[in-house]
């Protein structure tokens, strides 16, 4: 970090800045952002695509509420645990705000604390998203996930719709990283990915019982979300085996 440098902001002039990292590529836009009580200069730069070496691997990713994500390779990505404790802290701080007198100094301070905790949660969530995305992009040439722009209609339970916001943010990060690494991200239609048997293609509600998937037609058993992740990959890369993507799931 560079303490002494200044940046030139049009109409304002030279402003002393702490540089968090060096600029790469050609700066295209500059945004000045106030985040609670700190100002940030955010440069958007154009950088050339730096393709990563091909891996020969493809992956399907299912996002859930119990786990953050499950891949067709059978990797279960847990939700970050520290997020839970930060959320608890937030609830306590919010109660403090509501106890304090409106318009008072002490209430104003408590509101500031809430905003800071919000920022902390947002940042650690972003950091987590970046880490998960980097790993997926590094290890795979193609990443498939459900198109969440339509899935609200299909999987309309409350917990899921709340988390959808987080997933969209994650998929945006994933797409950005994939683009600059020359990888492919495919959005697939989300209909029935959790009800369809990955082994035989039989699709019905009875196949799924919470976390357990057991096909009523062929008897195939699987973790429900894992089965869904394999279906998601199958939709992006049809393999010819009933279009189920079997060969890719084990690649
Ligand atoms: Zn089956």
């Amino acid at each position: 970090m560079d303490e002494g440098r200044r940046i030139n902001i049009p109409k304002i002039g030279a402003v002393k800045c702490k540089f968090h990292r060096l600029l790469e590529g050609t700066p295209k836009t500059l945004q000045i952002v106030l985040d609670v009580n700190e100002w940030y200069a955010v440069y958007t730069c154009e950088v050339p695509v730096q393709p990563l070496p091909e891996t020969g691997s493809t992956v399907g990713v299912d996002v859930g509420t119990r786990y953050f994500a499950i891949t067709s390779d059978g990797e279960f990505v847990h939700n970050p645990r520290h997020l839970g404790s930060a959320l608890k802290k937030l609830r306590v701080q919010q109660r403090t705000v509501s106890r304090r007198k409106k318009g008072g100094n002490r209430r104003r301070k408590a509101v500031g604390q809430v905003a800071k905790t919000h920022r902390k949660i947002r940042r650690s969530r972003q950091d987590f998203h970046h880490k998960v995305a980097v790993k997926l992009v590094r290890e795979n040439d193609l990443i498939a996930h459900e198109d969440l722009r339509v899935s609200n209609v299909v999987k309309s339970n409350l917990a899921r719709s709340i988390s959808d916001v987080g997933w969209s943010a994650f998929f945006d990060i994933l797409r950005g990283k994939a683009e600059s690494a020359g990888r492919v991200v495919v959005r697939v239609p989300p209909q029935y990915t959790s009800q369809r048997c990955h082994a035989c293609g039989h699709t019905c509600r009875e196949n799924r019982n919470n976390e357990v998937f057991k096909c009523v037609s062929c008897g195939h058993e699987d973790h429900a979300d894992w089965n869904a992740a394999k279906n998601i990959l199958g939709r992006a890369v049809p393999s010819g085996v009933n279009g189920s993507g079997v060969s890719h799931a084990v690649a």
Side-chain angles (χ1 to χ4, degrees), residues 76 194-202 206-228 230-231:
F76 290 67
S194 57
Q195 294 180 18
R196 180 183 185 279
C197 171
H198 171 68
C200 76
H202 183 71
E206 288 70 34
N207 279 350
R208 181 172 187 164
N209 188 359
N210 291 321
E211 288 201 6
V212 181
F213 188 94
K214 190 167 193 300
C215 179
V216 295
S217 174
C218 77
H220 172 69
E221 276 185 64
D222 213 336
H223 185 285
D225 296 325
W226 190 359
N227 176 73
K230 290 181 223 174
N231 282 329

Side-chain angles (χ1 to χ4, degrees), residues 86-101:
L87 288 168
K88 239 178 250 163
K89 188 175 168 191
L90 189 63
R91 276 196 291 276
V92 173
Q93 289 177 334
Q94 274 163 340
R95 275 202 296 274
T96 308
V97 170
S98 56
R99 268 202 316 271
R100 298 206 165 151
K101 208 173 65 202

Side-chain angles (χ1 to χ4, degrees), residues 164-175:
D164 274 357
V165 186
W167 291 321
S168 308
F170 167 66
F171 290 137
D172 285 345
I173 290 170
L174 180 69
R175 258 196 311 284

Side-chain angles (χ1 to χ4, degrees), residues 111-184:
V111 168
Q113 291 302 322
V114 168
K116 279 184 190 165
T117 305
H118 266 297
R119 180 172 67 189
K120 194 171 179 236
I121 291 170
R122 176 163 43 81
R123 285 179 181 171
S124 53
R125 192 173 269 147
Q126 266 170 9
D127 179 60
F128 170 71
H129 286 169
H130 276 278
K131 283 179 181 148
V132 177
V134 162
K135 188 166 187 291
L136 284 169
V137 165
R138 201 188 298 136
E139 294 173 358
N140 301 282
D141 299 336
L142 179 146
I143 302 146
H145 68 79
E146 288 177 313
D147 193 345
L148 289 181
R149 294 171 300 182
V150 286
S151 72
N152 287 341
V153 190
V154 184
K155 296 174 174 171
S156 57
N157 74 58
L158 186 64
R160 217 179 146 113
S161 61
I162 289 168
S163 309
D164 274 357
V165 186
W167 291 321
S168 308
F170 167 66
F171 290 137
D172 285 345
I173 290 170
L174 180 69
R175 258 196 311 284
K177 290 201 186 299
E179 232 170 72
S180 58
R183 304 296 208 209
V184 179

